[in-house]
Amino acid sequence: MEHRYDDGLVLFISDLHLDPARPAIVQLFLQFLRSRAPQARALYILGDLFEAWIGDDAMDPDQPVLAGMRALAQAGVPLYVMRGNRDFLLGEGFEAMTGAQLLPDPTTIQLHGHKTLLMHGDSLCIDDVEYQQFREMVRQPAWQQAFLSKSVEERKAYAEQARSESQGRNQSIDDYLMDVNQGAVESTMREHGVRRLIHGHTHRPAIHELEIDGEPARRIVLGDWFDQGSVLVCRDGHWDLEGLSPPG
Ligand code: MN
């Protein structure tokens, strides 16, 4: 299926890390689904929508976030979701509960005349060898099958432990390991024949101008939703990163 937008509004978000422990951000996302998203031709969520996702079977379809997404999809706004490094177990059950369609990482779209590559971004952080090994492991079908065959309680305990280990590690490793590798960015863009890349993951929102083989190129990094929301608004040739304030 080709994703093609010659004009109109297209929205991109990522790294919401939705978690019951941060209810203001859950409210901000629900508000975004009701207020901004219905005007868009499509909404793209490029990974880490959820802080953790331990399997489609462990989730309640009546949960407000899933119901809110379903309402948007039912209103006719296509909703595309890429898996991140937190919610890599999103599956067909999630698609059925929300009406969203899961996207492979990477995916190419045609956006206002620009062939544009969409990624979560973690695969570009190749300087972090230890993380890349973990990523490789948890993406294997055999590992996922074994994990999903555990009880919900066991899976919750594993996710909790993985989260605290990763938090401890992120505080101790060098800053550059947490960012993308510039060579990986350029070779990936070259490989896919694009001069535009949109990704998240690093929580370093910015619009980077670069040059690839003598041509101007642009890498847009979406922001996380910790203290506020962040959205890339693409409308008729204007691409703007906007902040969203939490309600109340
Ligand atoms: Mn991530």
Side-chain angles (χ1 to χ4, degrees):
M1 184 198 113
E2 200 199 17
H3 300 239
R4 184 188 183 99
Y5 310 94
D6 292 324
D7 51 30
L9 173 68
V10 186
L11 300 173
F12 298 85
I13 58 177
S14 73
D15 300 282
L16 291 84
H17 293 264
L18 295 179
D19 186 335
R22 292 185 305 116
I25 293 299
V26 172
Q27 286 309 315
L28 182 61
F29 179 55
L30 293 174
Q31 191 185 73
F32 174 80
L33 288 175
R34 287 191 301 261
S35 60
R36 298 291 294 273
Q39 294 143 40
R41 291 189 55 189
L43 170 62
Y44 288 81
I45 304 176
L46 301 185
D48 289 352
L49 171 60
F50 299 101
E51 175 68 9
W53 188 269
I54 57 170
D56 297 346
D57 60 318
M59 313 312 284
D60 172 7
D62 293 328
Q63 197 213 359
V65 165
L66 300 178
M69 293 175 77
R70 198 160 59 234
L72 181 69
Q74 281 168 355
V77 178
L79 186 52
Y80 300 105
V81 177
M82 197 173 269
R83 298 175 182 90
N85 54 300
R86 297 283 182 175
D87 50 13
F88 57 87
L89 286 172
L90 290 171
E92 287 171 12
F94 166 76
E95 290 182 308
M97 285 185 276
T98 55
Q101 195 183 321
L102 287 166
L103 288 180
D105 182 359
T107 287
T108 304
I109 67 170
Q110 288 288 344
L111 181 56
H112 301 162
H114 298 275
K115 188 177 173 189
T116 302
L117 193 64
L118 310 179
M119 306 178 80
H120 177 54
D122 57 328
S123 61
L124 297 168
C125 299
I126 58 169
D127 294 317
D128 190 349
V129 174
E130 198 182 316
Y131 169 69
Q132 292 301 330
Q133 284 167 349
F134 172 80
R135 183 176 193 273
E136 182 74 22
M137 176 182 82
V138 301
R139 299 229 159 196
Q140 277 163 17
W143 187 94
Q144 296 194 355
Q145 243 165 40
F147 182 79
L148 291 171
S149 70
K150 293 179 196 295
S151 73
V152 169
E153 285 316 308
E154 283 174 293
R155 283 182 261 164
K156 274 187 183 152
Y158 178 92
E160 204 45 55
Q161 193 192 336
R163 174 154 69 163
S164 67
E165 279 172 18
S166 131
Q167 277 169 352
R169 184 166 176 274
N170 290 353
Q171 280 159 14
S172 65
I173 63 174
D174 285 337
D175 200 45
Y176 81 93
L177 290 176
M178 312 272 288
D179 204 354
V180 298
N181 173 288
Q182 190 61 27
V185 166
E186 290 174 19
S187 63
T188 303
M189 293 179 79
R190 205 173 272 129
E191 181 192 333
H192 292 273
V194 297
R195 295 296 175 262
R196 302 265 172 132
L197 165 63
I198 303 172
H199 72 83
H201 180 66
T202 61
H203 301 190
R204 299 172 194 215
I207 299 181
H208 298 278
E209 306 288 345
L210 56 152
E211 202 172 274
I212 294 179
D213 302 331
E215 288 178 46
R218 195 174 287 179
R219 175 170 70 94
I220 296 150
V221 187
L222 305 172
D224 63 76
W225 288 46
F226 280 105
D227 300 323
Q228 55 160 19
S230 172
V231 56
L232 173 66
V233 179
C234 295
R235 190 198 301 267
D236 305 330
H238 294 281
W239 298 27
D240 298 307
L241 274 173
E242 288 181 18
L244 302 170
S245 299

